[in-house]
C-alpha cells in the first residue's frame, strides 16, 4: 500500500481530502499544525477526523506563526471580520500552505511517502493565493529540486482532489465516502466552547455549502446565529 501525507486542518475540506486519499487506496498519515492560531479547537477536530477515517498515524506539528502575526488568525490584535466578497482577506496567513507543504515533504522523505494530499480549493474559497493551482504546481517542482527526488529520479505528487469543486460538491463527495462532518470545524473565530461564530467567511461558505448540497448542517453555532 502506497503511503501518503494528508494535511489535516479539522475542517470540511481537509476531512474530505483524507477520505478521498483513503478511497484511492493510500495508507494515510495525517499531519496537522498547532501554529498559534486562534481557532485551536481545529486540532482536537483533526485528531477526531483522523481516527474516524482510519489514518495510519496522526501528528500535530507545533510552530508559532503568531511571532510575527500579520493575519487575523494569528494576531490577537486583529479582529476576525464578518463575511465579505472581494480581495485577499485579513484571515490569510502569509505563506501558510508553503510552510505546511514543506513540512509534509520533510515527513514524506522520512516515511518514503511521495504523495501529498491537500484540500485546497479555487471555487468556494476566500481568495487565498496559496490555494491556487499555479502555486501547487510550482511547489511540486521546487520540492523535487530541493530533496533527494532530484538525484534519485522520482517526483512529488501533490494531490488536490477538491481544487475545482464547489462546497456542495465537496460535501456530497464526503458523504459518499463516509465523512462525519459533525466532527469537523471551519470557523475562524469560535467561542471558548468551540462553537462556530456563524459570521466569518469560513462559516458563511460552509453553511451555504450544506444548503446547496441538501444536507443538514451539523455545525454547532453560538446562540442566535442568523445567516
Amino acid at each position: 500500500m502506497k503511503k501518503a501525507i494528508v494535511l489535516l486542518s479539522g475542517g470540511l475540506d481537509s476531512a474530505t481530502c483524507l477520505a478521498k486519499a483513503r478511497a484511492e487506496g493510500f495508507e494515510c498519515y495525517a499531519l496537522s499544525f498547532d501554529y498559534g492560531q486562534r481557532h485551536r479547537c481545529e486540532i482536537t477536530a483533526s485528531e477526531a477526523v483522523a481516527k474516524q477515517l482510519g489514518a495510519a498515524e496522526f501528528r500535530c506539528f507545533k510552530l508559532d506563526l503568531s511571532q510575527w502575526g500579520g493575519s487575523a488568525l494569528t494576531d490577537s490584535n486583529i479582529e476576525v471580520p464578518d463575511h465579505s466578497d472581494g480581495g485577499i482577506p485579513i484571515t490569510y496567513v502569509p505563506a501558510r500552505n508553503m510552510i505546511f507543504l514543506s513540512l509534509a515533504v520533510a515527513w514524506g522523505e522520512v516515511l518514503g511517502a511521495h504523495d501529498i494530499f491537500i484540500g485546497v480549493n479555487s471555487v468556494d474559497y476566500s481568495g487565498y493565493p496559496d490555494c491556487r493551482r499555479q502555486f501547487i504546481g510550482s511547489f511540486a517542482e521546487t520540492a523535487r529540486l530541493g530533496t533527494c527526488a532530484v538525484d534519485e529520479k522520482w517526483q512529488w505528487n501533490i494531490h488536490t482532489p477538491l481544487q475545482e469543486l464547489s462546497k456542495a460538491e465537496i460535501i456530497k463527495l464526503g458523504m459518499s465516502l463516509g465523512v462525519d462532518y459533525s466532527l469537523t470545524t471551519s470557523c475562524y473565530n469560535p467561542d471558548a466552547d468551540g462553537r462556530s461564530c456563524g459570521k466569518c467567511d469560513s462559516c458563511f461558505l460552509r453553511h451555504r455549502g450544506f444548503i446547496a448540497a441538501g444536507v443538514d448542517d451539523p455545525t454547532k453555532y453560538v446562540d442566535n446565529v442568523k445567516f
Side-chain angles (χ1 to χ4, degrees), residues 80-104:
V80 174
D82 293 348
H83 168 70
S84 63
D85 295 310
I88 298 174
I90 194 61
T91 50
Y92 164 65
V93 179
R96 179 174 59 179
N97 282 345
M98 189 182 304
I99 294 167
F100 290 178
L101 283 168
S102 295
L103 291 167

Side-chain angles (χ1 to χ4, degrees), residues 41-199:
C41 56
E42 70 175 33
I43 299 168
T44 302
S46 294
E47 188 166 11
V49 168
K51 182 177 181 180
Q52 190 252 326
L53 293 175
E57 187 174 345
F58 170 80
R59 292 281 187 100
C60 182
F61 192 95
K62 188 170 184 176
L63 67 162
D64 188 6
L65 299 184
S66 69
Q67 292 182 82
W68 49 74
S71 166
L73 303 190
T74 56
D75 190 333
S76 60
N77 294 316
I78 303 175
E79 292 187 5
V80 174
D82 293 348
H83 168 70
S84 63
D85 295 310
I88 298 174
I90 194 61
T91 50
Y92 164 65
V93 179
R96 179 174 59 179
N97 282 345
M98 189 182 304
I99 294 167
F100 290 178
L101 283 168
S102 295
L103 291 167
V105 163
W107 193 23
E109 277 207 287
V110 173
L111 291 175
H114 303 162
D115 293 85
I116 297 173
F117 282 75
I118 181 170
V120 293
N121 178 267
S122 299
V123 181
D124 286 335
Y125 80 128
S126 298
Y128 299 162
D130 56 358
C131 287
R132 298 168 187 162
R133 185 176 296 281
Q134 297 94 321
F135 162 69
I136 297 298
S138 175
F139 180 86
E141 176 60 8
T142 297
R144 185 186 72 84
L145 294 172
T147 62
C148 292
V150 69
D151 293 316
E152 297 175 357
K153 308 304 180 186
W154 50 270
Q155 64 182 15
W156 291 97
N157 302 307
I158 312 296
H159 301 262
T160 58
L162 314 183
Q163 187 80 61
E164 305 299 333
L165 300 183
S166 68
K167 272 290 186 286
E169 290 171 328
I170 292 169
I171 291 167
K172 289 178 180 179
L173 173 61
M175 295 293 288
S176 72
L177 296 175
V179 176
D180 181 355
Y181 286 120
S182 70
L183 299 176
T184 68
T185 180
S186 303
C187 183
Y188 291 151
N189 194 28
D191 70 4
D193 295 320
R195 296 181 301 174
S196 299
C197 72
K199 297 180 179 180

